[in-house]
C-alpha cells in the first residue's frame, strides 16, 4: 500500500518520490501521479484541492492487490477475481498526492523573502507570530502561494490566521482560503467568493475573520 513518504525534501522531483515507493502497486503509483497533476493545476489557479479530479480510467485490478489485501477483501465478499477497484478513489492516495503537490508548489523562506522584499529573518519572525502561513517540513518552513498576490500578502491575512485553529491540517487551510463560501456573497455578486477573492476585492476582513472563528468552534 502507499506509505507516508512526506519526510523527503519538499522540492524533490515527483518522479523521484514515485521511484521511492517500492511497496506500491502500479495502479497506486499511476493514481498518485494523476492526483498530483490535478493538485498542481488547482494550486496554480488558486482553485480548491477538494474540487480537483482525475480521469476515471485508472482501475486497480484484483491482480494488482497483494495476497493479504485480496484475502481480506474476499473474506467480506468485497472482491471477485478480476473485479476492478478504483485506486483513484483511495482517500489516502489522494491526500498524499495533494500534500506532495502543496510541498512542491510552495515557497521556501528565501523565496518568500525575495518575493516580499524583506529579509529571511523577517519571514521567520512572521511565521512564528502566525502572520504568515507556513508548514514546518524537515526542520524548515514552506509557505503556500495562496497567501500572496503579486509581491504582497493578501489583506487581513494576519487577523484571519490568528482566528483559525492552529492545528488544522495544511490542506484544509489552503482549501478554506480558496473555496467559495455562501456567506461571502453580497447583492450584485454573481457567485459566492472565496476568502481569498473577497480580501483581494478590498472587502472588509471582519466577515472572513468571523468564518475563521466559526471553524474554531466546529
Amino acid at each position: 500500500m502507499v506509505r507516508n513518504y512526506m519526510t523527503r525534501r519538499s522540492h524533490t522531483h515527483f518522479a523521484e518520490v514515485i521511484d521511492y515507493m517500492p511497496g506500491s502497486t502500479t495502479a497506486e503509483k499511476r493514481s498518485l501521479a494523476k492526483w498530483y497533476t490535478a493538485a498542481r493545476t488547482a494550486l496554480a489557479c488558486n482553485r480548491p484541492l477538494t474540487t480537483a479530479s482525475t480521469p476515471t480510467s485508472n482501475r486497480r485490478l484484483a491482480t494488482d492487490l497483494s495476497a493479504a489485501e485480496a484475502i481480506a477483501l474476499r473474506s467480506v465478499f468485497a472482491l471477485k477475481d478480476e473485479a476492478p477497484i478504483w485506486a483513484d478513489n483511495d482517500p489516502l492516495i489522494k491526500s498524499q498526492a495533494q500534500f506532495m503537490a502543496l510541498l512542491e508548489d510552495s515557497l521556501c523562506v528565501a523565496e518568500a523573502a525575495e518575493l516580499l522584499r524583506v529579509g529571511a529573518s523577517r519571514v521567520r519572525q512572521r511565521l512564528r507570530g502566525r502572520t504568515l502561513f507556513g508548514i514546518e517540513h524537515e526542520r524548515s518552513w514552506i509557505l503556500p502561494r495562496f497567501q500572496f498576490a503579486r509581491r504582497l500578502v493578501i489583506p487581513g491575512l494576519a487577523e484571519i490566521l490568528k482566528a483559525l485553529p492552529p492545528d488544522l491540517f495544511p490542506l484544509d487551510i489552503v482549501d478554506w482560503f480558496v473555496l467559495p463560501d455562501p456567506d461571502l456573497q453580497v447583492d450584485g455578486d454573481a457567485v459566492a467568493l472565496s476568502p481569498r477573492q473577497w480580501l483581494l476585492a478590498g472587502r472588509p476582513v471582519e466577515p472572513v475573520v468571523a468564518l475563521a472563528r466559526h471553524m474554531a468552534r466546529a
Side-chain angles (χ1 to χ4, degrees):
M1 294 297 289
V2 176
R3 298 175 177 85
N4 186 357
Y5 293 97
M6 297 300 99
T7 57
R8 292 171 68 79
R9 286 178 56 86
S10 62
H11 291 284
T12 299
H13 292 300
F14 182 73
E16 295 176 5
V17 177
I18 288 289
D19 291 339
Y20 191 67
M21 298 169 59
S24 299
T25 67
T26 299
E28 287 174 328
K29 291 181 181 181
R30 189 183 306 120
S31 180
L32 191 69
K34 288 182 178 181
W35 277 117
Y36 171 86
T37 300
R40 285 301 297 264
T41 300
L43 289 166
C45 301
N46 285 303
R47 293 204 317 267
L49 291 167
T50 50
T51 62
S53 60
T54 70
T56 57
S57 59
N58 181 23
R59 294 188 177 188
R60 186 182 177 198
L61 298 176
T63 51
D64 291 322
L65 295 172
S66 68
E69 289 176 315
I71 291 171
L73 289 172
R74 287 193 182 98
S75 69
V76 293
F77 307 102
L79 175 67
K80 296 181 179 179
D81 290 340
E82 302 304 323
I85 295 175
W86 295 94
D88 281 341
N89 293 332
D90 189 321
L92 178 59
I93 293 176
K94 179 180 178 181
S95 62
Q96 285 189 311
Q98 290 176 341
F99 194 61
M100 285 181 186
L102 181 60
L103 292 180
E104 291 216 13
D105 185 72
S106 297
L107 304 177
C108 67
V109 169
E111 290 168 335
E114 181 179 358
L115 177 69
L116 299 175
R117 298 189 179 97
V118 299
S121 60
R122 176 56 179 158
V123 172
R124 294 189 187 94
Q125 182 184 43
R126 293 192 62 175
L127 287 166
R128 290 191 296 269
R130 294 195 73 204
T131 63
L132 283 175
F133 172 59
I135 303 167
E136 289 190 80
H137 180 68
E138 293 192 342
R139 300 181 182 179
S140 61
W141 289 94
I142 65 165
L143 296 87
R145 295 177 185 269
F146 76 86
Q147 61 197 307
F148 306 110
R150 299 183 179 87
R151 303 185 71 92
L152 299 172
V153 176
I154 60 177
L157 180 67
E159 295 176 67
I160 296 163
L161 290 177
K162 290 177 180 178
L164 284 170
D167 57 349
L168 284 177
F169 190 56
L171 293 177
D172 293 332
I173 293 178
V174 173
D175 257 17
W176 182 82
F177 269 96
V178 298
L179 190 66
D181 192 297
D183 289 330
L184 298 179
Q185 184 173 10
V186 297
D187 293 341
D189 289 340
V191 295
L193 302 181
S194 68
R196 184 179 190 274
Q197 291 170 328
W198 180 274
L199 297 168
L200 289 176
R203 297 185 179 181
V205 68
E206 289 79 13
V208 183
V209 171
L211 290 172
R213 287 178 179 150
H214 180 72
M215 286 191 68
R217 295 193 300 269

